[in-house]
Amino acid sequence: MPKLSDRVNTFTDSVIRRMTRISDEYGAINLSQGFPDFDPPKAILDALAKTAYEGPHQYSITFGAENFREALARKQGKAIGREINPETEIVVTCGGTEAMMSAMMTICNPGDKVMVFSPFYENYGADAILSGAEPIYIPLVPPTYEFDINLVEEGFKAGAKAIIVCNPSNPCGKVFTREELTAIGELAVKYDGFVVTDEVYEHMVYAPNEHVCMASLPGMYEHTITCNSLSKTYSITGWRLGYLIGPEEVIEGAKKVHDFLTVGAAAPLQEAAVVGLNFPESYYEDLLALYTKKREHFLNGLDEIGLKHNVPQGTYFVMIDIQEFLDLPQFAGYTDLEFCEWMIKNIGVAAVPGSSFFREDVNNLIRLHFAREEKTIDEALSRLKKMKELLK
Ligand code: GLN
């Protein structure tokens, strides 16, 4: 067998997505990979049905169908607080995943340093490897997930080209405050670096926290590449619709990368999703109300059981501390991954081991999500209660 590239030997498959496969194999309740188990809005489904017969079914413009980009420019222009040119400042991608990969490929030369907060969404590790960038990790310290801004300055001083900011943060649910974003932004300007944001959970930010777009801060548009997606906002994770927004020069580069990576996102799905992008404000308010309720329900359930957890300020993820289990003789020597596998097989609930998000040696946290119908959450909680009973 001829040899494969060195590149593919430097990272594993995604543990998040692997957990879904194991969960499916054992028929567990899948609270690992984050995606909803409920339908997208009916208006989007109706538009999809109509598109099935009326098209388009051929390629859209490589960097996104015109009506899709125009609708995006209107919606995200409001969030960013400026007019976005749909011709020159947007690239539509196959999911937020391709948006981030294209951003990294657009700005990084092999050997360039990029700062990544740890814990981080595991894709960023592979994005760095595939784009040749060398990550510098900035700890977000549990349980509050605060960070030391001096480390960000040191990173820029060490030559970092960019910093990736996932806001709200997957997996820890941190919502960066305006002050934190301003401080990061000021350093990016001072050292002439980029901020690459991942804002896919922008509409899941729980009061009193507020979502602030990095690109909306004074002077930051020119330094920010905003990566985003429709997956979570419209419950269409399988449609793989994402996008990049940024200054013209950056987007010009990203358009080329995207063109040769994937040519384009699915044309019929872009057409159907335009309806969603044009939804009134009330849609986003209702979505937030729905997730606020789910969050409260899930966190209350965890409290009743007595499982230790963080309180996410945003996203639909919760980190649970499993140290009390790892201290039991039957789990002696277990890694968090082994514990998650045990959970799937014996408890019937799938989680993601925290070690797949942390650079640091963290083995006592697992991530669960609550983007599930209430009855599914209730069933998961009753199974977790049984797990807790092991401690008695
Ligand atoms: N963002 C989701 C998660 O962290 C999954 C995204 C994906 O698998 N592409 O679980």
Side-chain angles (χ1 to χ4, degrees):
M1 179 77 183
K3 269 200 165 164
L4 304 182
S5 73
D6 293 339
R7 196 184 297 125
V8 293
N9 292 322
T10 49
F11 58 99
T12 68
D13 63 327
S14 152
V15 178
I16 298 177
R17 297 183 270 280
R18 195 193 308 163
M19 295 321 286
T20 283
R21 296 195 295 274
I22 307 177
S23 178
D24 289 350
E25 195 182 320
Y26 288 91
I29 296 178
N30 187 5
L31 304 187
S32 62
Q33 186 183 21
F35 59 88
D37 66 349
F38 38 89
D39 283 340
K42 186 172 177 302
I44 295 184
L45 297 181
D46 289 344
L48 181 62
K50 187 164 170 267
T51 306
Y53 291 99
E54 294 177 10
H57 291 294
Q58 311 308 327
Y59 305 122
S60 68
I61 291 174
T62 173
F63 52 91
E66 196 175 349
N67 57 346
F68 188 86
R69 279 181 287 112
E70 281 169 359
L72 261 184
R74 271 195 303 275
K75 175 177 179 290
Q76 295 313 99
K78 264 191 252 160
I80 296 177
R82 64 176 270 150
E83 232 170 79
I84 309 287
N85 185 333
E87 278 303 306
T88 56
E89 295 177 315
I90 296 180
V91 184
V92 180
T93 57
C94 296
T97 297
E98 192 211 331
M100 181 58 70
M101 182 65 81
S102 300
M104 294 284 282
M105 299 264 235
T106 301
I107 60 173
C108 291
N109 285 318
D112 279 348
K113 297 184 177 73
V114 170
M115 284 183 272
V116 177
F117 286 104
S118 167
F120 58 93
Y121 175 48
E122 61 175 355
N123 276 39
Y124 309 154
D127 291 340
I129 290 167
L130 290 172
S131 63
E134 284 172 19
I136 298 177
Y137 295 96
I138 311 289
L140 288 175
V141 185
T144 54
Y145 296 103
E146 275 160 55
F147 67 99
D148 180 355
I149 188 74
N150 294 318
L151 295 179
V152 176
E153 175 140 31
E154 274 171 32
F156 275 123
K157 273 191 190 154
K161 184 94 180 259
I163 179 166
I164 299 178
V165 179
C166 182
N167 182 32
S169 296
N170 179 4
C172 66
K174 177 185 176 66
V175 172
F176 284 78
T177 62
R178 183 177 293 275
E179 291 66 35
E180 287 173 324
L181 293 172
T182 302
I184 295 168
E186 280 170 1
L187 291 172
V189 172
K190 180 171 169 191
Y191 293 95
D192 201 24
F194 283 113
V195 182
V196 182
T197 68
D198 177 346
E199 305 186 36
V200 307
Y201 300 97
E202 65 180 331
H203 292 291
M204 290 167 208
V205 172
Y206 307 107
N209 304 285
E210 261 184 293
H211 180 67
V212 176
C213 291
M214 182 57 103
S216 73
L217 297 177
M220 280 314 292
Y221 190 75
E222 296 306 317
H223 285 266
T224 306
I225 307 172
T226 305
C227 300
N228 210 330
S229 124
L230 278 67
S231 288
K232 277 66 186 191
T233 303
Y234 305 103
S235 308
I236 48 174
T237 61
W239 289 29
R240 316 307 304 125
L241 292 177
Y243 58 93
L244 290 163
I245 293 181
E248 212 171 305
E249 298 74 15
V250 175
I251 293 302
E252 214 175 285
K255 278 178 176 173
K256 291 191 279 184
V257 172
H258 159 78
D259 195 354
F260 288 105
L261 270 180
T262 60
V263 178
L269 300 183
Q270 290 184 64
E271 176 66 27
V274 168
V275 173
L277 292 172
N278 288 330
F279 280 158
E281 263 323 291
S282 59
Y283 172 76
Y284 306 100
E285 287 160 13
D286 292 348
L287 182 81
L288 180 59
L290 178 79
Y291 276 108
T292 302
K293 208 169 135 220
K294 287 190 187 301
R295 170 179 173 263
E296 200 186 317
H297 185 74
F298 191 52
L299 296 185
N300 284 344
L302 293 175
D303 287 339
E304 273 164 32
I305 297 170
L307 286 168
K308 286 189 206 114
H309 62 84
N310 73 324
V311 175
Q313 298 167 325
T315 75
Y316 44 50
F317 299 114
V318 181
M319 302 296 272
I320 296 190
D321 190 334
I322 53 161
Q323 191 59 52
E324 56 186 349
F325 296 95
L326 297 178
D327 289 341
L328 295 174
Q330 71 250 51
F331 297 117
Y334 266 52
T335 62
D336 56 354
L337 174 63
E338 286 162 342
F339 186 81
C340 286
E341 285 168 349
W342 174 86
M343 263 180 80
I344 290 177
K345 293 175 196 165
N346 297 279
I347 303 297
V349 176
V352 182
S355 58
S356 47
F357 305 106
F358 279 91
R359 172 65 174 176
E360 300 77 22
D361 190 15
V362 173
N363 191 41
N364 66 316
L365 298 174
I366 59 172
R367 192 197 76 177
L368 287 113
H369 78 85
F370 53 81
R372 288 287 175 266
E373 299 278 14
E374 208 166 295
K375 59 179 189 311
T376 312
I377 289 292
D378 284 338
E379 177 55 31
L381 286 168
S382 83
R383 294 181 187 190
L384 291 171
K385 191 170 172 192
K386 280 195 205 116
M387 182 168 91
K388 179 77 179 181
E389 276 158 14
L390 282 180
L391 293 168
K392 286 190 182 147

